[in-house]
Amino acid sequence: MTLSRFPLRRSFIASAAALVAALGATATVHAGEVEVLHWWTSGGEAKAASALKATLQAKGHTWKDFAVAGGGGDSAMTVLKSRVVSGNAPAAAQIKGPSLQEWAREGVLANMDDVANAEKWDSLLPKVVSDVMKYKGNYIAAPVNVHRVNWLWANPAVFQKAGTKVPTTWDEFFTAAEALKKAGVIPVAHGGQNWQDFTTFEAVALGVGGVDFYKKALIQLDQTALTSATMEKVLSTFKRVKDYTDRNAPGRDWNLATAMVIKGEAGMQIMGDWAKGEFLAAGKVPGKDFVCAAAPDTGKAFTFNVDSFALFKLKNEANVRAQKDLASAIMSTEFQELFNLNKGSIPVRLGMKMDKFDDCAKLSSNDFVATSKSGGLVPSIAHGMAVSSAAEGAIKDAVSAFWNSDKMTAKEAVAKIAAAAKTK
């Protein structure tokens, strides 16, 4: 990411300078202002943001909300780049994955090691997660939560009607899908958007290829793994899944696909744990009205998507203190519990009590801890945690091109994906 690619109009620079001057004039010696860029603008996320705000205000600081609507955060990033170029960075911004290192390379992120060392973050986070939060060994971001991506959601009543069971392997998946199809139910609820295609592809790659293959192919982008017979088998399996989706899938939003499972129109969906919020909002009970299970053949693996806040360099000392209090609050047990109960995710902090969480979250937490020890905890390429945004986008496009083509062979798709992985 090169910040100079985002030129500013003079009027914007002038207004940004005026804002900096105004903030400097109003800052007090004892308390600082913490400005936080995020896109937690609805439902439980907004509640969690309010809790974080209250925590900072209790310490005497002023909270300045810099909320930019839009779940993906693309518009927020455009605004942020303009702000940083103008010398008017917020205290913190919602950024994740390799993008954190891209920002750190620009020299604009603050070193949070004094907070992290005092609170022993290294012992509270799995190394594979803490490494993402660091640049050259120094903490430059605070993690908020963990979403598990490799989930299979199922409607047990529909499975019972079809006389089949919720699958734990890919062989069982296709057996169940065939039974659901014969029972007159859409076997797999899917939204034909490239990130949803990629989420399914990633689950297939992990299940068919295993953790070591996943790491080599989709994290290290190793050309030998990407062009292997295993990758060809992954793609063939992936394309078979499409045979059990419906003709109205193209363009469908993920939550509408989840609603199909809730209503019994479809049997199952491969989607991250944000889908659980849709079931709960519909008054459904985990284990009774819906089943949450690891995607086929991935029971001993965990693809993670961790939301985090990058912490930017500030000049005002009071604001720096407020920023450090923010980082501390994000990692506190109180915030980790409250936020994740509202978000549907689980705490990223290890050793948390899970008694207030539902059965799906407890399973997720147990697997998070287990895989952090076994080596099965891996970053999600589909959700911006594994590779550069350029490589991710190129591979994502190649995967969807194969999904949507009636003529492209798996061997041809292997070549396209391998070429896409070379994108810088």
Side-chain angles (χ1 to χ4, degrees):
M1 179 194 65
T2 304
L3 296 180
S4 59
R5 290 181 191 166
F6 298 87
L8 301 173
R9 290 192 290 262
R10 291 179 182 176
S11 59
F12 184 91
I13 296 175
S15 62
L19 180 58
V20 171
L23 293 179
T26 57
T28 66
V29 174
H30 302 292
E33 177 182 84
V34 58
E35 184 179 16
V36 181
L37 184 153
H38 64 89
W39 48 93
W40 294 338
T41 56
S42 63
E45 293 175 334
K47 287 181 185 176
S50 296
L52 194 57
K53 175 181 177 180
T55 301
L56 270 294
Q57 288 176 331
K59 292 179 179 289
H61 303 305
T62 301
W63 173 281
K64 186 172 182 182
D65 210 47
F66 186 3
V68 181
D74 290 344
S75 54
M77 288 302 98
T78 301
V79 174
L80 177 63
K81 285 162 185 168
S82 297
R83 285 283 302 271
V84 173
V85 169
S86 73
N88 182 31
Q94 197 176 340
I95 302 172
K96 67 178 183 178
S99 293
L100 288 168
Q101 280 70 45
E102 292 175 18
W103 280 99
R105 281 194 290 272
E106 298 291 339
V108 295
L109 298 187
N111 185 325
M112 285 288 125
D113 279 354
D114 52 349
V115 176
N117 291 337
E119 298 183 359
K120 299 181 172 59
W121 286 11
D122 275 351
S123 65
L124 296 175
L125 298 169
K127 187 176 185 300
V128 69
V129 174
S130 63
D131 284 349
V132 177
M133 301 300 134
K134 294 178 180 179
Y135 178 68
K136 293 185 176 179
N138 306 122
Y139 278 97
I140 42 84
V144 177
N145 65 342
V146 180
H147 281 293
R148 186 180 197 171
V149 181
N150 60 313
W151 277 117
L152 178 78
W153 304 92
N155 185 318
V158 170
F159 272 79
Q160 188 174 11
K161 175 187 172 185
T164 189
K165 65 176 184 175
V166 176
T168 59
T169 68
W170 281 109
D171 285 343
E172 290 177 359
F173 179 91
F174 292 113
T175 298
E178 195 61 36
L180 290 164
K181 187 176 181 180
K182 287 179 180 175
V185 178
I186 297 165
V188 182
H190 184 73
Q193 298 169 336
N194 65 0
W195 72 269
Q196 293 190 61
D197 300 341
F198 210 28
T199 298
T200 299
F201 168 76
E202 161 181 291
V204 176
L206 185 63
V208 172
V211 170
D212 288 343
F213 169 79
Y214 180 93
K215 289 177 179 178
K216 288 176 183 175
L218 299 182
I219 299 175
Q220 300 165 17
L221 303 182
D222 176 80
Q223 284 291 313
T224 300
L226 287 167
T227 56
S228 65
T230 301
M231 179 57 86
E232 192 171 339
K233 184 180 178 183
V234 166
L235 285 161
S236 297
T237 306
F238 170 64
K239 195 63 172 285
R240 279 185 71 192
V241 175
K242 189 184 181 184
D243 293 339
Y244 295 100
T245 63
D246 67 304
R247 66 178 65 184
N248 295 319
R252 178 187 289 138
D253 288 336
W254 69 269
N255 57 313
L256 298 180
T258 306
M260 292 166 62
V261 180
I262 293 171
K263 295 173 184 176
E265 296 169 1
M268 51 188 166
Q269 179 188 22
I270 296 170
M271 186 53 60
D273 57 18
W274 45 91
K276 182 180 67 177
E278 299 297 306
F279 286 96
L280 298 179
K284 304 301 181 182
V285 178
K288 178 187 173 186
D289 302 313
F290 67 96
V291 173
C292 50
D297 287 311
T298 70
K300 294 185 178 179
F302 189 120
T303 43
F304 67 82
N305 177 15
V306 173
D307 289 316
S308 55
F309 278 103
L311 303 153
F312 285 81
K313 288 181 178 177
L314 304 174
K315 295 178 181 177
N316 181 291
E317 286 194 17
N319 292 351
V320 170
R321 283 196 297 274
Q323 181 187 55
K324 290 180 178 180
D325 283 343
L326 172 70
S328 178
I330 287 170
M331 277 290 287
S332 70
T333 54
E334 296 82 6
F335 176 74
Q336 288 277 319
E337 180 180 87
L338 177 65
F339 178 82
N340 288 292
L341 282 170
N342 280 298
K343 185 77 162 60
S345 44
I346 61 169
V348 67
R349 178 178 172 137
L350 296 172
M352 288 280 296
K353 289 183 179 179
M354 296 295 292
D355 49 306
K356 292 183 182 178
F357 289 81
D358 61 56
D359 289 348
C360 293
K362 287 174 182 174
L363 174 60
S364 184
S365 182
N366 288 339
D367 288 352
F368 178 60
V369 173
T371 56
S372 71
K373 295 174 182 175
S374 70
L377 183 63
V378 291
S380 165
I381 183 173
H383 294 272
M385 297 301 303
V387 301
S388 71
S389 55
E392 178 195 330
I395 298 169
K396 188 183 290 180
D397 288 345
V399 165
S400 280
F402 174 60
W403 177 268
N404 292 314
S405 172
D406 293 329
K407 297 179 180 178
M408 191 185 303
T409 65
K411 192 176 287 291
E412 289 169 337
V414 162
K416 286 184 177 294
I417 290 169
K422 296 178 180 178
T423 304
K424 300 295 183 184

